[in-house]
């Protein structure tokens, strides 16, 4: 039975959203196509009408996830506000955190196309951070990259120790908020 172009687009979007949530929660390798399509409310038989492979889906999930992350940076009133959001217990405890935290470890084990989409997403994210910095700062590009690295690394550590040592996790988040502000001040 054929579906309309609109319905096919809705199905594709549902698969992308479900895959984004599942991949960010559990990683690329721990989620199968059947699970993604089930979470999207579809049968897995139609998956290949939308995506050539799970790898193609993973590449598009990178684009979607980084697009959402970049919009969040762009919507922030200031980098300080964004730092407060990012280095928070709310963000730490989300099932599907930012794509760099959720997917960064998996990407190095995947193919070129997924790596390329992930790299392009990181570049877009760093550029969004850079756009919040003074245009006349000759060190802004380096500061933006350092800030992203500081935020992502600290979030990985804070998440890793949260269950066994909540006080250490909170201290990591507090420390990164302080150090990120110091980095911005130069």
């Amino acid at each position: 039975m054929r579906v309309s172009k609109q319905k096919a687009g809705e199905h594709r979007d549902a698969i992308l959203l479900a895959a984004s949530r599942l991949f960010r929660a559990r990683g690329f390798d721990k989620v199968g196509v059947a699970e993604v399509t089930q979470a999207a409310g579809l049968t897995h038989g139609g998956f290949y009408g939308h995506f050539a492979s799970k790898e193609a889906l993973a590449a598009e999930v990178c684009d979607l996830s980084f697009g959402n992350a970049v919009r969040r940076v762009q919507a922030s009133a200031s980098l300080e506000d964004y730092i407060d959001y990012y280095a928070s217990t709310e963000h730490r405890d989300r099932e599907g955190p930012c794509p760099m935290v959720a997917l960064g470890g998996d990407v190095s084990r995947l193919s070129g196309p997924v790596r390329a989409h992930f790299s392009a997403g990181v570049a877009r994210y760093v550029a969004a951070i850079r756009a919040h910095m003074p245009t006349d700062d000759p060190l802004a590009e380096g500061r933006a990259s350092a800030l992203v690295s500081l935020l992502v690394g600290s979030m990985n550590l804070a998440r890793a120790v949260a269950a066994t040592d909540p006080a250490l996790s909170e201290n990591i988040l507090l420390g990164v908020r302080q150090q990120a502000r110091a980095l911005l001040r130069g």
Side-chain angles (χ1 to χ4, degrees):
M1 183 161 106
R2 295 189 50 87
V3 297
S4 70
K5 286 186 180 187
Q6 178 183 348
K7 195 56 140 173
E10 290 171 9
H11 289 171
R12 188 177 199 290
D13 290 347
I15 292 169
L16 269 170
L17 290 173
S20 177
R21 184 179 48 78
L22 290 168
F23 288 163
R24 285 182 299 117
R26 298 201 328 254
F28 293 122
D29 292 340
K30 302 258 190 294
V31 178
V33 169
E35 186 177 3
V36 168
T37 54
Q38 181 180 3
L42 304 166
T43 61
H44 106 274
F47 173 84
Y48 294 100
H50 299 287
F51 301 95
S53 64
K54 180 181 169 188
E55 183 178 278
L57 172 64
E60 289 199 40
V61 163
C62 285
D63 293 342
L64 174 68
S65 298
F66 275 104
N68 292 335
V70 165
R71 280 188 290 284
R72 187 179 293 271
V73 172
Q74 292 169 334
S76 295
S78 68
L79 276 180
E80 290 81 1
D81 287 349
Y82 185 73
I83 290 164
D84 288 343
Y85 154 75
Y86 193 98
S88 67
T89 55
E90 174 192 356
H91 186 233
R92 179 198 66 199
D93 297 340
R94 282 184 61 200
E95 181 183 25
C98 93
M100 292 171 287
V101 171
L103 306 173
D106 288 352
V107 168
S108 65
R109 293 185 295 276
L110 296 176
S111 71
V114 178
R115 286 182 183 184
H117 283 258
F118 188 87
S119 294
V122 171
R124 288 189 349 246
Y125 187 85
V126 170
I129 294 287
R130 169 63 180 92
H132 274 283
M133 296 178 168
T135 56
D136 62 347
D137 180 357
L139 301 176
E141 192 67 35
R143 286 185 212 279
S145 294
L147 179 58
V148 170
S149 299
L150 180 65
L151 291 171
V152 172
S154 65
M155 186 55 66
N156 273 318
L157 289 175
R159 286 174 62 89
V161 303
T164 56
D165 195 339
L168 175 58
S169 182
E170 290 292 330
N171 198 36
I172 290 168
L173 295 175
L174 173 63
V176 77
R177 288 191 302 269
Q178 293 168 344
Q179 292 306 309
R181 282 188 179 81
L183 177 67
L184 292 178
R185 289 190 301 272

